[in-house]
Amino acid sequence: MKESDFQTLKVDQRRMMETLHHTCSFGTGHRWGQAATETGMKRLALSDSDKKVRDWFVDTTKSLGCEITIDKMGNIFAVRPGRRQDVAPIFVGSHLDTQPTGGRYDGILGILAGVETLKVLQDANVETEYPIGVVNWTNEEGARFPMTMVSSGVWAEAISLEAAHGLKEVGGTRATLLSELKRQGYLGETPASYRATPMSAHFELHIEQGPILEMEKQKIGVVNGVQAYKWYTIEVEGRAAHTGTTPYGARADALLGAARMIAHSNKKGHELSALASTGILTLEPGSTNTIANKVSFSLDIRAPDNSTVEAMEAQLKKDFTALAGEEPVPLSVIWRTDSNSPAVKFHKDCIDIVRQSADAVLGNSSLHRDMTSGAGHDSVYTSRHCPTTMIFVPSKNGVSHHPEEWTSDEDCALGAEVLCQSVIRYDRKLAGATS
Amino acid sequence: MKESDFQTLKVDQRRMMETLHHTCSFGTGHRWGQAATETGMKRLALSDSDKKVRDWFVDTTKSLGCEITIDKMGNIFAVRPGRRQDVAPIFVGSHLDTQPTGGRYDGILGILAGVETLKVLQDANVETEYPIGVVNWTNEEGARFPMTMVSSGVWAEAISLEAAHGLKEVGGTRATLLSELKRQGYLGETPASYRATPMSAHFELHIEQGPILEMEKQKIGVVNGVQAYKWYTIEVEGRAAHTGTTPYGARADALLGAARMIAHSNKKGHELSALASTGILTLEPGSTNTIANKVSFSLDIRAPDNSTVEAMEAQLKKDFTALAGEEPVPLSVIWRTDSNSPAVKFHKDCIDIVRQSADAVLGNSSLHRDMTSGAGHDSVYTSRHCPTTMIFVPSKNGVSHHPEEWTSDEDCALGAEVLCQSVIRYDRKLAGATS
């Protein structure tokens, strides 16, 4: 197949979007608009609606000539044979599970664009050199079983199968990830490991989940890597006291201290070019007329490189201690590191090929840009064991993990087209290298 | 009785404290130390343990020659006859109910000092001109039935009997204040009103619940009034967004805005000499990697006079709006006023008499000081219908509403002595005025 040939391959925007919205009938969520498709999604991993969309995925890819492999994490690998069967497939991957108040694009678009790619290849009778696969990773969101990207993590041998299987459903029922895999019939025989289901590459199309492409009027983000992040819980302890009878000079007000720390972390984030955010804050005892003796808050620090995250941590540890000491009665501050995700650099070959594909599809290099992913994705784990990159499309208002998450049909199709072309170009590149 | 005579009347410290700790066997709470008396109290209004201490109070005061009146709020008025029966009694009053994690002094000391005063009068065979009473007010804490000082409020005709009777137990059972009054046998026949049980005066001995007396090494606070306070709920609304993918410039971070408002309210409080405090903060959605779209926090503003509270409110309304507008994407701010308690000025005659009694008991005017109560008490409502004041004794570390609330035996006895002398002096003053 010559380059001039495969450049004529086009995804069918209408078919892809209709199929996407069809699959969103499994686990329809909160309605926010009048149109049929104007609802969010609530399709928690291994729920009954997740089983339905999994069954749909298996049936559809089988009908497109794929062989199905299901591993012990319920990851579903659908592989369309290539000319050669002695090599690992080139995969498109993402996830079909959603947040409890999620939207119709996060993860879902990546899988649907993969299925559309299979259809494009089928319609044009294209025989690739390498097998082409689509993988649906289980429980990427971590919303039901509280570990994000857990199944690509097991595949990468970064997380143990036992720990993953033992994850308990959030909210206190007895269900575990393993019990739900069994109940839904998605506990496969194949070991969950890159050794059992190797990949020649992993491409993931995803919505940006941020406002940058939209703000800069660009269509495609060529993702060079994922920023580093560390999560902390900060515990500030003071002393409960009556708000009416305790003068300022006798107070150890844990909430006032925490408020100053949160405001300060934002200020330092601007100075050091890092993102610092607090999304959780709890306190004790929680009474209008009692000064809080204990506040616990989350701190999420992100930057494109690890050293900036470390510098922020060191600075804030110093500054929080100073702020705590400045209160009339000193507060105590304890830091706990909850997670540490170093910066990820994606593979140059994959990045180059996505950039070329974006150029070809958009016909204008000002409509795409290189960028760093702000969030983690399954591609973080696949990148440990195969060349990987991601393709971003604009998110309206940067909204994600929300029913109103939205990307236009045109932008979804442009992303799918870049994905499809990237897979074929990568196949040709490998064929050239090995032929 | 000459002044030289009644100055020799002394409370029996040991008897009073032993009796106090005996009554704390009804509703013993959290243990914090090794000694028998080193526990807190959990004696919610109209609970079984509250019934026991009420029964004890009725039996004890009856045995001291008192007549008992119980009104429709379960307030118990124990009155020792005076020479004249055509005048309203001079009352000592406070409450026997506690917080769920309360201590042994808040309220309890005031009643026990009243009972000790009756014993002192009895032992010395003192016949007062006016009847002397002790009143136990129901559900002062508002911890079980969520309205503080509700029964003195009904007595003052500031709260309707129906509203008070209808109060539901916190925590979702079906019990109401009325149903519990009936169950415990404390629904009296007498209307709950100052018209049915008038008072010539109301004196209340109470722990300070703050650190000022201790910090300034003083023994007695002569309470001139209660500071004004207003309670608000502030709702800050922004937009949920992913912490990793949303640059600062695209954020409407409700928690960051709220943190700045809380820190700012403290700064303004110092400037305007008002206490501003936040003890409750809740947020949505509450996820480490999601910027909060909604934060709700309490604001408690207090000052000795109403005008300062109003000035703080006006200033902060202006400043919070400005702070909300300064965020990259503006936040919205809504204020709701939850309660408004204007400043209370106690009666000059009562205050003068307590000051004279403190001088006499302490023999040193540097050991007492005039002060404003930071918290509300039943005396706020009695002051609407009879001359009223309060006497404060030191609280260790200013701690209250906590099992470790503590006042030394000596300080309790000094307070009781000032109370006892104040009652007798006030009786003599009235006798002089009417004889």
Side-chain angles (χ1 to χ4, degrees):
Chain A
M1 195 181 195
K2 291 194 294 265
E3 172 143 357
S4 55
D5 291 338
F6 70 74
Q7 287 204 8
T8 65
L9 297 178
K10 292 281 172 205
V11 306
D12 183 333
Q13 173 181 316
R14 186 168 166 180
R15 173 175 65 184
M16 181 176 79
M17 296 314 292
E18 279 179 2
T19 312
L20 183 145
H21 292 305
H22 167 66
T23 65
C24 289
S25 66
F26 310 123
T28 304
H30 180 77
R31 174 160 296 284
W32 56 268
Q34 296 302 314
T37 62
E38 288 177 348
T39 76
M41 288 298 293
K42 179 181 182 172
R43 190 162 68 203
L44 294 171
L46 302 172
S47 62
D48 292 351
S49 52
D50 190 36
K51 178 187 160 45
K52 284 182 190 154
V53 78
R54 286 167 169 266
D55 291 349
W56 167 88
F57 177 69
V58 168
D59 292 347
T60 303
T61 52
K62 270 187 182 165
S63 76
L64 291 165
C66 292
E67 279 180 32
I68 304 296
T69 303
I70 297 170
D71 72 13
K72 288 181 185 295
M73 285 301 293
N75 296 318
I76 310 174
F77 304 83
V79 177
R80 179 178 188 268
R83 195 169 291 134
R84 296 179 54 179
Q85 297 302 321
D86 60 329
V87 289
I90 298 165
F91 271 97
V92 168
S94 202
H95 60 94
L96 288 165
D97 70 317
T98 78
Q99 291 281 329
T101 56
R104 291 179 167 236
Y105 301 89
D106 176 354
I108 300 171
L109 175 62
I111 298 288
L112 270 289
V115 172
E116 176 63 23
T117 295
L118 296 175
K119 290 179 182 172
V120 169
L121 295 174
Q122 163 115 327
D123 290 350
N125 273 316
V126 175
E127 188 174 34
T128 54
E129 189 75 9
Y130 278 58
I132 305 296
V134 182
V135 53
N136 172 47
W137 300 105
T138 299
N139 192 55
E140 191 271 352
E141 294 289 359
R144 184 172 183 202
F145 302 103
M147 192 179 288
T148 58
M149 309 176 286
V150 62
S151 302
S152 53
V154 174
W155 178 90
E157 298 187 3
I159 297 167
S160 80
L161 184 68
E162 292 65 34
H165 274 176
L167 285 169
K168 287 197 181 65
E169 182 181 48
V170 168
T173 72
R174 290 178 172 207
T176 63
L177 197 146
L178 178 61
S179 73
E180 287 294 276
L181 279 174
K182 284 182 184 162
R183 186 174 73 90
Q184 303 294 17
Y186 276 95
L187 177 64
E189 294 289 319
T190 304
S193 165
Y194 65 94
R195 300 173 208 269
T197 50
M199 301 186 178
S200 287
H202 184 266
F203 289 91
E204 184 169 6
L205 170 65
H206 206 280
I207 56 169
E208 180 197 342
Q209 303 183 275
I212 297 171
L213 290 173
E214 183 182 65
M215 281 163 66
E216 304 199 356
K217 302 197 193 320
Q218 286 163 322
K219 292 299 185 185
I220 295 288
V222 180
V223 185
N224 290 1
V226 179
Q227 68 185 349
Y229 69 86
K230 282 181 92 168
W231 287 0
Y232 313 87
T233 299
I234 319 286
E235 287 194 355
V236 182
E237 196 155 349
R239 202 171 62 196
H242 193 295
T243 55
T245 60
T246 314
Y248 287 132
R251 293 186 178 196
D253 185 336
L255 182 58
L256 179 62
R260 288 182 171 144
M261 291 170 199
I262 291 167
H264 182 77
S265 67
N266 179 271
K267 183 164 159 267
K268 280 289 151 192
H270 278 95
E271 287 174 27
L272 300 184
S273 298
L275 289 173
S277 317
T278 295
I280 298 178
L281 186 150
T282 57
L283 55 79
E284 292 173 13
S287 166
T288 300
N289 59 351
T290 307
I291 290 157
N293 63 307
K294 208 169 186 178
V295 173
S296 172
F297 66 90
S298 64
L299 181 67
D300 170 323
I301 301 180
R302 306 195 185 220
D305 50 277
N306 302 335
S307 59
T308 306
V309 172
E310 297 301 329
M312 268 291 282
E313 176 185 323
Q315 181 72 46
L316 291 182
K317 277 186 170 159
K318 212 177 92 191
D319 295 350
F320 284 7
T321 301
L323 284 168
E326 281 166 19
E327 294 300 314
V329 178
L331 305 167
S332 71
V333 186
I334 296 171
W335 286 63
R336 192 177 72 223
T337 302
D338 297 320
S339 89
N340 182 4
S341 180
V344 171
K345 305 292 178 195
F346 286 147
H347 198 285
K348 185 178 178 306
D349 292 350
C350 292
I351 295 168
D352 286 346
I353 276 195
V354 168
R355 202 183 290 115
Q356 288 160 24
S357 303
D359 262 343
V361 169
L362 299 169
N364 182 344
S365 65
S366 75
L367 292 176
H368 65 81
R369 58 168 285 163
D370 284 16
M371 61 195 302
T372 300
S373 171
H377 296 282
D378 290 311
S379 289
V380 165
Y381 282 124
T382 64
S383 74
R384 297 194 184 187
H385 297 288
C386 70
T388 292
T389 194
M390 297 184 71
I391 300 158
F392 277 178
V393 287
S395 292
K396 186 181 177 189
N397 294 326
V399 170
S400 183
H401 287 190
H402 190 280
E404 293 187 41
E405 174 181 283
W406 194 79
T407 299
S408 73
D409 289 0
E410 294 71 24
D411 288 350
C412 288
L414 285 174
E417 197 112 331
V418 172
L419 178 76
C420 178
Q421 295 244 343
S422 297
V423 168
I424 300 172
R425 278 169 195 265
Y426 201 79
D427 176 63
R428 287 177 54 83
K429 180 183 158 65
L430 289 185
T434 57
S435 64
Chain B
M1 194 180 195
K2 289 193 296 261
E3 171 144 356
S4 55
D5 292 338
F6 71 73
Q7 284 203 11
T8 65
L9 298 178
K10 292 281 171 204
V11 306
D12 183 332
Q13 175 181 315
R14 187 167 166 180
R15 173 175 65 183
M16 180 175 80
M17 296 314 292
E18 280 179 1
T19 312
L20 182 144
H21 291 306
H22 166 67
T23 66
C24 288
S25 65
F26 310 123
T28 304
H30 180 77
R31 175 161 294 284
W32 55 269
Q34 297 301 315
T37 62
E38 287 177 349
T39 76
M41 288 298 293
K42 179 180 182 173
R43 189 161 68 203
L44 294 172
L46 303 172
S47 62
D48 292 350
S49 52
D50 190 37
K51 177 187 162 46
K52 284 182 190 154
V53 78
R54 285 167 170 266
D55 291 348
W56 167 88
F57 177 70
V58 169
D59 292 347
T60 304
T61 52
K62 269 187 182 166
S63 76
L64 291 165
C66 291
E67 280 181 32
I68 304 295
T69 302
I70 297 171
D71 72 14
K72 287 180 185 296
M73 285 301 294
N75 296 318
I76 310 173
F77 304 82
V79 176
R80 179 177 189 270
R83 196 170 290 135
R84 296 179 56 181
Q85 297 303 322
D86 60 329
V87 289
I90 298 165
F91 271 96
V92 168
S94 202
H95 59 95
L96 288 165
D97 70 318
T98 78
Q99 291 280 328
T101 56
R104 292 178 168 236
Y105 302 89
D106 176 355
I108 301 171
L109 175 62
I111 298 288
L112 271 288
V115 172
E116 176 62 24
T117 295
L118 297 176
K119 290 179 183 172
V120 169
L121 295 175
Q122 164 115 329
D123 291 350
N125 274 315
V126 175
E127 187 174 36
T128 54
E129 189 74 9
Y130 278 58
I132 304 295
V134 182
V135 53
N136 173 46
W137 299 105
T138 299
N139 192 55
E140 190 271 352
E141 294 289 359
R144 183 171 184 204
F145 302 102
M147 191 180 287
T148 58
M149 308 176 286
V150 62
S151 302
S152 52
V154 174
W155 177 90
E157 298 186 4
I159 298 167
S160 81
L161 184 69
E162 292 65 35
H165 274 178
L167 285 170
K168 287 196 181 67
E169 182 182 47
V170 169
T173 72
R174 290 180 170 205
T176 63
L177 197 146
L178 178 61
S179 73
E180 286 294 277
L181 279 173
K182 284 182 184 163
R183 185 174 73 89
Q184 303 294 17
Y186 276 95
L187 177 65
E189 293 289 318
T190 304
S193 164
Y194 65 93
R195 300 173 207 268
T197 50
M199 301 187 177
S200 287
H202 185 266
F203 289 90
E204 184 169 7
L205 170 65
H206 207 280
I207 56 169
E208 180 197 341
Q209 303 183 275
I212 296 170
L213 290 173
E214 183 183 63
M215 281 164 66
E216 304 198 357
K217 302 197 193 319
Q218 288 164 320
K219 293 299 184 184
I220 295 287
V222 179
V223 185
N224 291 0
V226 179
Q227 68 186 348
Y229 68 86
K230 282 180 91 168
W231 288 0
Y232 312 86
T233 299
I234 319 285
E235 287 195 354
V236 183
E237 195 154 351
R239 203 171 61 194
H242 194 295
T243 55
T245 59
T246 314
Y248 287 132
R251 293 186 178 196
D253 186 336
L255 181 58
L256 180 62
R260 288 182 170 145
M261 291 170 198
I262 292 167
H264 182 77
S265 68
N266 178 271
K267 183 164 159 269
K268 280 289 150 192
H270 278 95
E271 286 174 27
L272 300 184
S273 298
L275 289 175
S277 318
T278 295
I280 298 178
L281 187 149
T282 58
L283 54 80
E284 291 174 14
S287 165
T288 300
N289 58 351
T290 307
I291 291 157
N293 63 306
K294 209 170 185 177
V295 173
S296 173
F297 66 91
S298 64
L299 181 66
D300 171 323
I301 302 179
R302 305 195 187 221
D305 50 275
N306 302 335
S307 60
T308 307
V309 172
E310 297 301 330
M312 268 291 280
E313 175 184 322
Q315 182 72 44
L316 291 182
K317 277 187 170 161
K318 211 177 95 192
D319 295 350
F320 285 6
T321 300
L323 284 169
E326 281 166 19
E327 294 299 316
V329 178
L331 305 167
S332 72
V333 186
I334 296 171
W335 286 64
R336 193 177 70 223
T337 302
D338 296 320
S339 90
N340 182 3
S341 180
V344 172
K345 305 292 178 196
F346 286 147
H347 199 283
K348 185 178 178 305
D349 292 351
C350 292
I351 295 168
D352 286 347
I353 277 196
V354 167
R355 202 184 289 114
Q356 288 161 24
S357 303
D359 261 344
V361 170
L362 299 168
N364 183 345
S365 65
S366 75
L367 292 176
H368 65 82
R369 57 169 285 165
D370 284 17
M371 62 197 301
T372 301
S373 171
H377 297 283
D378 290 310
S379 289
V380 166
Y381 282 123
T382 63
S383 74
R384 296 194 184 184
H385 297 287
C386 70
T388 292
T389 194
M390 297 184 71
I391 301 158
F392 277 178
V393 288
S395 292
K396 187 181 177 189
N397 294 326
V399 170
S400 182
H401 287 191
H402 189 281
E404 294 188 39
E405 174 182 284
W406 194 79
T407 299
S408 73
D409 289 0
E410 294 71 22
D411 288 349
C412 288
L414 284 174
E417 197 112 331
V418 172
L419 177 75
C420 177
Q421 295 244 343
S422 297
V423 168
I424 299 172
R425 279 169 194 265
Y426 201 80
D427 176 64
R428 286 176 55 83
K429 181 182 156 66
L430 289 185
T434 57
S435 64

